[in-house]
Amino acid sequence: MPTALIVGGGLGGLAAAIGLRREGWTTVILEAAHQISEVGAGIQLPPNSGRILVKWGLKDKIEKVACRPRTIRHWRYDNAAPLSKWPFPSEELMGAPYWNIHRGDYQKLLLDEAIASTLSSPVQNPGPPLKIYTNTKVSSVDCENGSVKTTDGRFFSGDVLIGADGVRSVVKVAVTGEPDHAKPSGDQAFRFLIPVEKVEKHPELNFVLEHVANNHLGPDAHIVHYPVHGYKLINVVCVSQDMGLTQESWNQQGSREEVLKAFEGWSPEILKLLSLPDKYLKWQLIKREELHTWVRGKTTLLGDACHAMVPYLAQGAAQAVEDGAALALALGSGLPLDEALRAYEHVRKPRTTAVMNGADDARTSYHMHDGVAQMKRDNALKKEWGKGSISPHWAYDAEGEMDKHLNELIGRRDSTNPESSR
Ligand SMILES: Cc1cc2nc3c(=O)[nH]c(=O)nc-3n(C[C@H](O)[C@H](O)[C@H](O)COP(=O)(O)OP(=O)(O)OC[C@H]3O[C@@H](n4cnc5c(N)ncnc54)[C@H](O)[C@@H]3O)c2cc1C
């Protein structure tokens, strides 16, 4: 069995490990942290990634811990006036629900699947359970040979090397041969979780408890909140202009004063919500431009390592899962490795660039100052009241698109060389 060596055990690395196991690969993850774990925050799991997880047999496990918002709502920042109420498209239409989930729950269910002795949706001849080396930080990369060296001097190699090592990827630097170009987006995010029973004590916050994904829009800022963890916690993400105080870290602590200052002038309901938590985390939001290549030798990239984006479409992790599933199909196609990696890049690079650009556009729309453009935006939102629209990003079929391209390539090879062995 060929071996895939994956650097990074985040959501993207784990999704790739599951996809590759399903294609019969042996999978190994090298993870810098001392254990595979996620930060205490929620994440939206849209149907474009949900469909892949449903196909992998994970629906029941997700349902046990995730929440299904019934509608998405937009609100005005200073008086909490409602601007929209759209039902999410149905599960029947999309092939998966729209889920909100705690990151830790998400990470755990992917990890459990990757290391399980039997896959949730069995396939013929799967690869063995994932092997993970924690406390294993990669320091240098040989892309041509698919091998790495760790900070403590160990060497690992694989038939393919996958850089799923996030926004400051060392594998990305080796693949592109260029220094890191990920840069601050100009925005920061405060994130926190509030127990539902704490919110219940404040009747003016009843709207927070509804099964809704909420988006409050204000000048240079927006706030998203929704229930997670089986409706036991409310996840809140507050995005505002970066005042130069944040670092790019998943664990930097913020304070109540900082959050309230960043959202001065917002409605009393929102300020009450922001004052409830005991602990605030803050992030500098990072983005990168499209890379000139994702492939060198036996090595490729996925997730934030190659397309870190601002989180305004809630698609970063969803794209990493799409990458993992598509890469697994390419590597399982029987094409020679270099062709399989180029096929993966051919399909995934334009898709993820379109999503990155869409996320930048969403920022412009969410963060408008009051004025003509903002009034037009609000009127457009209100016009759609009750109708619901399907984001084209949710409808995208990552595996279908990958399969289509692979079939074209294989068809072309067969017609030029009927003897070609796959
Ligand atoms: C505020 C905010 C809100 C978001 N909301 C959403 C959302 O609602 N929906 C959504 O889909 N996405 C969302 N995202 C984006 C999403 O969090 C990321 O896109 C996703 O986590 C990327 O996953 P990844 O596996 O590519 O990278 P990461 O999760 O960063 O994982 C990389 C892993 O590699 C390890 N690593 C790094 N360097 C090394 C090394 N040298 N050696 C070994 N291991 C290494 C790290 O320890 C880490 O475990 C949000 C992001 C932010 C900041």
Side-chain angles (χ1 to χ4, degrees), residues 97-386:
Y98 198 103
W99 280 303
N100 293 328
I101 188 166
H102 189 288
R103 280 173 178 266
D105 294 334
Y106 196 3
Q107 184 104 354
K108 182 172 182 323
L109 70 89
L110 292 184
L111 176 63
D112 287 350
E113 179 69 7
I115 61 174
S117 49
T118 321
L119 291 168
S120 295
S121 162
V123 290
Q124 275 190 341
N125 305 320
L130 166 71
K131 183 160 189 188
I132 302 172
Y133 294 84
T134 51
N135 259 329
T136 301
K137 184 168 184 179
V138 168
S139 53
S140 62
V141 178
D142 179 341
C143 293
E144 299 301 334
N145 288 317
S147 61
V148 298
K149 186 178 173 199
T150 63
T151 46
D152 56 5
R154 285 172 291 159
F155 287 90
F156 293 85
S157 66
D159 296 290
V160 66
L161 173 64
I162 300 166
D165 49 343
V167 71
R168 292 292 177 205
S169 167
V170 293
V171 185
K172 175 258 154 196
V173 173
V175 166
T176 60
E178 290 172 349
D180 195 11
H181 291 311
K183 54 176 196 276
S185 67
D187 287 344
Q188 63 185 6
F190 293 94
R191 313 183 81 179
F192 42 86
L193 294 163
I194 314 173
V196 158
E197 56 270 26
K198 202 164 181 180
V199 179
E200 280 170 342
K201 291 188 182 135
H202 304 277
E204 73 273 31
L205 296 182
N206 275 349
F207 70 98
V208 175
L209 300 168
E210 289 177 22
H211 296 185
V212 170
N214 295 281
N215 218 330
H216 301 255
L217 310 180
D220 296 324
H222 74 280
I223 294 177
V224 175
H225 58 89
Y226 46 80
V228 292
H229 202 51
Y231 300 99
K232 293 191 189 82
L233 296 168
I234 302 296
N235 179 68
V236 187
V237 184
C238 311
V239 175
S240 61
Q241 270 187 328
D242 188 352
M243 304 313 224
L245 298 174
T246 48
Q247 299 155 9
E248 179 222 327
S249 151
W250 290 96
N251 284 312
Q252 197 188 351
Q253 301 288 324
S255 70
R256 183 170 293 126
E257 293 67 38
E258 271 180 284
V259 181
L260 292 177
K261 185 161 179 8
F263 289 87
E264 248 169 24
W266 284 54
S267 70
E269 293 88 345
I270 283 295
L271 296 180
K272 168 57 77 184
L273 181 69
L274 303 193
S275 69
L276 291 184
D278 300 319
K279 186 178 163 193
Y280 301 80
L281 290 174
K282 64 178 179 181
W283 275 262
Q284 187 183 52
L285 296 177
I286 300 286
K287 56 186 255 186
R288 60 165 81 256
E289 304 299 326
E290 182 178 351
L291 302 181
H292 70 83
T293 184
W294 286 16
V295 178
R296 178 180 287 213
K298 289 183 175 177
T299 306
T300 192
L301 302 166
L302 65 74
D304 278 10
C306 47
H307 49 68
M309 61 185 79
V310 285
Y312 308 147
L313 289 178
Q315 279 286 338
Q319 292 308 305
V321 170
E322 284 191 6
D323 288 345
L327 179 58
L329 290 181
L331 292 173
S333 66
L335 285 171
L337 182 66
D338 57 336
E339 285 182 46
L341 293 182
R342 286 292 168 203
Y344 161 71
E345 176 190 56
H346 178 86
V347 173
R348 294 303 303 159
K349 208 147 85 75
R351 158 71 170 157
T352 51
T353 298
V355 179
M356 281 199 289
N357 293 339
D360 286 339
D361 294 345
R363 178 186 193 274
T364 309
S365 167
Y366 289 178
H367 289 190
M368 281 174 182
H369 285 240
D370 286 352
V372 176
Q374 162 269 329
M375 279 170 62
K376 275 192 187 160
R377 176 201 67 194
D378 291 358
N379 287 336
L381 286 171
K382 285 180 194 160
K383 233 169 103 185
E384 294 297 309
W385 193 282

Side-chain angles (χ1 to χ4, degrees), residues 74-87:
H74 293 86
W75 308 82
R76 187 175 156 78
Y77 71 103
D78 56 353
N79 60 5
L83 301 173
S84 80
K85 185 174 182 177
W86 303 337

